[in-house]
Amino acid sequence: MAETATGAPREDTEFVRFWNEVLAPKFTRFRHVLVGGLSYHSEAVFPKLPVEAGDRVLDVGCGWGDTAMKLARIVGPEGEVVGIDCCDAFLADARADLAKTDLTNVTFQRGDAEVALPEGEFDFVFSRFGTMFFANPVAGLRNMRRALRPGGRMVHIVWRDRADNPWLSMARDIVLEYLPAPGEDARTCGPGPFSMSDDATVRKMMEIAGYTDIAFERVDAPVRVGDDVEDAIAFQLAIGPAGEVFREAGDLAEAKRPEIEAAMAEAIDRQVRDADGIVIDSSSWVISARNPGD
């Protein structure tokens, strides 16, 4: 039993339990990839966010709190940022990292955006690569809108289609040459990273959720997938689409691991390297909208 962001007790959903029990430890192991690797996208997006000094901001699916703390620097001491996530381990790390800063305008709360969020309290709501995991996206998006004051703005970032994201699709395609696709009864993190790739579908979701002034901006940027080939292979087989296939295949996956790792090493070794490691192309939608009102 946990509390929602509004303070009401509730039972965790199956997706929330799966994130806490299975995925959170894997994500934490590869935090250097999942946070540092997305820096190119953050650098492209953050300077354009409709956030001003003094704003009150909600960061949905805040993870380890890096985006919440970045937003806190923008709004300054007169503003406030609330980061919400469903993973206890992420929040514990976020609070520990926050304690090492001089920020006094950030708080982190345990919550599930699909169930409930504070209402009518924020000037801006943000989510980086979180909304695409909503099992009920309209409900989650509607709760995000209701969290805004009239006229408030929101921005969420999601991955575009598989073809434009080889950093995720390439490894899955390789793994599926050796292992069966997960069955319908597989435990998953939700709809997955490409569930909001189609702009027409997402626009309709957001219209149903009550937003206006909906706009899509494409951002193409490299993603760092590991410090080296070995790190990148371990990352791909732990989380993401390839990780799901590998995890669900169980003993068969372990039996095939040498062949799979050899094939992945060959593909990853052909990728570009920068000063921090191996990078592969990626593409996202930066989706902005407004809560109707003043």
Side-chain angles (χ1 to χ4, degrees):
M1 184 77 71
E3 283 192 351
T4 66
T6 58
R10 63 164 178 80
E11 293 289 341
D12 284 339
T13 64
E14 168 59 21
F15 290 128
V16 171
R17 287 194 295 271
F18 182 64
W19 272 97
N20 278 284
E21 295 167 8
V22 177
L23 292 183
K26 296 177 184 292
F27 272 59
T28 297
R29 177 186 172 191
F30 294 101
R31 179 177 174 177
H32 64 291
V33 175
L34 293 163
V35 174
L38 297 175
S39 61
Y40 294 102
H41 282 270
S42 295
E43 289 167 6
V45 171
F46 264 79
K48 302 178 183 179
L49 293 180
V51 184
E52 299 178 355
D55 279 353
R56 192 154 193 261
V57 175
L58 178 66
D59 185 355
V60 174
C62 65
W64 297 288
D66 57 297
T67 51
M69 286 183 267
K70 185 184 287 284
L71 288 163
R73 299 286 184 193
I74 297 173
V75 302
E78 300 302 318
E80 182 182 2
V81 177
V82 177
I84 288 179
D85 203 280
C86 68
C87 284
D88 298 312
F90 295 169
L91 293 170
D93 287 343
R95 291 178 180 124
D97 287 349
L98 178 62
K100 300 172 187 176
T101 74
D102 60 349
L103 293 169
T104 59
N105 60 343
V106 185
T107 56
F108 293 108
Q109 299 178 12
R110 177 43 145 90
D112 183 347
E114 293 182 67
V115 176
L117 291 172
E119 294 192 12
E121 297 184 14
F122 299 94
D123 302 293
F124 180 65
V125 173
F126 178 73
S127 181
R128 183 184 69 180
F129 302 117
T131 56
M132 58 206 184
F133 294 111
F134 286 166
N136 188 337
V138 171
L141 291 168
R142 182 181 290 118
N143 285 338
M144 290 170 70
R145 181 185 62 76
R146 288 173 174 168
L148 288 165
R149 297 185 176 113
R153 307 289 306 188
M154 76 89 78
V155 170
H156 62 132
I157 309 172
V158 301
W159 296 117
R160 295 183 67 256
D161 56 81
R162 285 180 174 84
D164 293 311
N165 282 286
W167 80 283
L168 286 173
S169 59
M170 180 183 74
R172 182 178 185 272
D173 291 344
I174 291 171
V175 172
L176 285 173
E177 293 177 9
Y178 299 88
L179 301 173
E184 292 184 2
D185 60 345
R187 294 188 76 190
T188 72
C189 58
F194 302 114
S195 68
M196 289 189 171
S197 61
D198 182 72
D199 55 330
T201 300
V202 179
R203 182 181 294 275
K204 180 57 67 177
M205 289 176 181
M206 295 187 69
E207 288 173 350
I208 294 170
Y211 292 96
T212 59
D213 300 338
I214 302 164
F216 289 73
E217 179 185 354
R218 174 174 176 163
V219 174
D220 295 326
V223 167
R224 182 163 63 88
V225 297
D227 295 339
D228 51 33
V229 172
E230 182 179 16
D231 191 37
I233 292 172
F235 166 67
Q236 295 285 358
L237 293 184
I239 58 180
E244 180 180 40
V245 174
F246 194 86
R247 181 178 63 249
E248 288 297 316
D251 292 342
L252 177 60
E254 290 303 327
K256 296 277 190 178
R257 180 185 285 273
E259 297 171 77
I260 294 170
E261 290 188 346
M264 290 183 66
E266 182 178 349
I268 291 171
D269 195 46
R270 293 195 296 264
Q271 305 307 311
V272 174
R273 287 165 171 78
D274 67 9
D276 296 317
I278 296 170
V279 296
I280 303 179
D281 289 341
S282 72
S283 185
S284 65
W285 285 125
V286 178
I287 309 168
S288 59
R290 186 173 65 87
N291 183 30
D294 299 336

